Amino acid sequence: MFTETVEHTWEAGHSLPHLPGKCSSLHGHTWRASITVAGPSLDQAGILVEFGAFKQRMRDWIDSRLDHSLMLGAGDNLIPLLDLDQPAGEPRSPLAAAFIERSQRLFVFGRDFPDAPWPSVEGVAQLLAHHAHTRLEQATTRRDVYISQVTVRETDHNSATWHNPDPPTAANATASAVRVEATRAFGNLPPDVLRELLTATAPQTAAEIAAQMGVPLSVARYCVDQVYAEVVAEQQAKFDHEIAQILDTPDK
Ligand SMILES: [Zn+2]
C-alpha cells in the first residue's frame, strides 16, 4: 500500500449560527487541507498517480470556489436576505445588492454542496473529499487508487478528518477497470446488435468476440459471463432516450 498527500491552504470566513458560543459569529480562518490518495501498488513509471495533474486540479478548485469566500449554511438566517434565487435584473435586498456590488464570493453548504448542511470543519472535509474523488478520476485511468482520507484544519487546535468508508478492494478495482474497458469497447453498438453479439454466443466463444472486437479476453468474458444484461439495458435506455428526443422534437 502506498499513499501520497496534497496539502493546500486558503482563507475563508464562515459562521455556525446553530451552535452555541463564539462560532456563531462571522469569523475567518486560514484553512489547511491534507488530501491523501492511496493505492496497492506503483505503476510501470514507479508512481502511484501522476500527482501534478491531480494536485493542480484540486488546488484550482479550492482557489476558484473557496479562497477568500464566505462559507455559510443554507439554514443561516443571512441566506434569505441574499436573494440567491432572484433572476438577474430583479430588485434585491440592500444586503444582496451590496454583496453583488463587491463581487462577494459565497459558498453555501446545503445548496452548493447538498451533502453537508453547514460549513463546519467536518463539512469542509466532506466537501473536499467529494471534489477530490472526481478530480482523481479525471487525473488517472487507474481504478485501484482512491481518496483514503481528507483532513481539514481551521486552527492549530481544531481539525476534522474524513475517512473513506468504502475503499475499493483489489477484486472490485479490477472488475471496475474491466467494466470501464467493456463500456468503451461495446458502448457504441446499438442494443440489438450488442444483445445478439453477447447472447447468441456461449461463454466459450468469448475468445471469438475478443478477436472480432479487438478487446482483451477478460473484457469479452466479463460481458458474456457477468454483465451483458446490464450493458444491454444501459444501451437500450440510451437509445430509447435518443429516439424519444427525436420524436419529441417538433419539425421546423
Ligand atoms: Zn471557525
Side-chain angles (χ1 to χ4, degrees):
M1 174 67 71
F2 293 86
T3 62
E4 289 180 346
T5 300
V6 178
E7 310 263 348
H8 198 49
T9 62
W10 73 100
E11 315 293 332
H14 78 152
S15 166
L16 301 169
H18 59 304
L19 297 184
K22 58 186 183 181
C23 284
S24 63
S25 182
L26 283 168
H27 64 283
H29 298 287
T30 297
W31 299 78
R32 284 168 281 167
S34 301
I35 301 158
T36 301
V37 177
S41 60
L42 303 183
D43 67 10
Q44 288 174 335
I47 58 173
L48 189 58
V49 290
E50 208 289 273
F51 216 46
F54 169 64
K55 199 157 54 178
Q56 196 57 49
R57 282 182 161 89
M58 208 54 226
R59 287 178 170 167
D60 286 350
W61 189 83
I62 291 173
D63 290 348
S64 64
R65 294 304 310 276
L66 301 182
D67 189 36
H68 286 74
S69 76
L70 178 57
M71 304 189 295
L72 297 176
D76 194 301
N77 65 1
L78 288 172
I79 293 296
L81 304 175
L82 292 173
D83 295 337
L84 296 177
D85 293 322
Q86 195 82 323
E90 295 290 311
R92 291 176 185 274
S93 74
L95 182 63
F99 262 49
I100 289 169
E101 192 182 322
R102 65 163 71 175
S103 302
Q104 172 67 50
R105 188 176 278 177
L106 190 66
F107 193 95
V108 182
F109 283 69
R111 178 184 170 105
D112 297 326
F113 179 55
D115 292 358
W118 293 100
S120 59
V121 66
E122 296 88 341
V124 175
Q126 198 180 346
L127 169 71
L128 294 191
H130 174 81
H131 285 284
H133 179 75
T134 311
R135 271 143 197 84
L136 182 63
E137 277 192 342
Q138 293 165 350
T140 178
T141 53
R142 288 185 65 172
R143 290 293 168 264
D144 58 348
V145 296
Y146 57 96
I147 304 299
S148 62
Q149 65 178 57
V150 175
T151 296
V152 171
R153 191 170 281 283
E154 59 176 3
T155 68
D156 285 343
H157 309 291
N158 275 2
S159 70
T161 298
W162 172 92
H163 295 273
N164 191 332
D166 188 25
T169 62
N172 69 25
T174 305
S176 164
V178 171
R179 195 180 186 298
V180 166
E181 198 170 342
T183 306
R184 195 182 300 136
F186 296 101
N188 290 323
L189 292 178
D192 51 341
V193 174
L194 183 59
R195 190 181 291 110
E196 195 177 326
L197 180 70
L198 296 175
T199 57
T201 51
Q204 65 267 24
T205 64
E208 289 170 21
I209 294 178
Q212 194 183 332
M213 299 292 296
V215 298
L217 186 58
S218 60
V219 171
R221 256 197 203 121
Y222 175 74
C223 287
V224 172
D225 290 350
Q226 296 174 47
V227 293
Y228 76 85
E230 188 189 332
V231 174
V232 168
E234 259 178 31
Q235 282 311 95
Q236 188 72 55
K238 189 175 136 198
F239 277 75
D240 286 350
H241 177 71
E242 282 170 7
I243 287 166
Q245 276 191 325
I246 290 164
L247 294 178
D248 283 343
T249 305
D251 288 328
K252 297 240 164 83

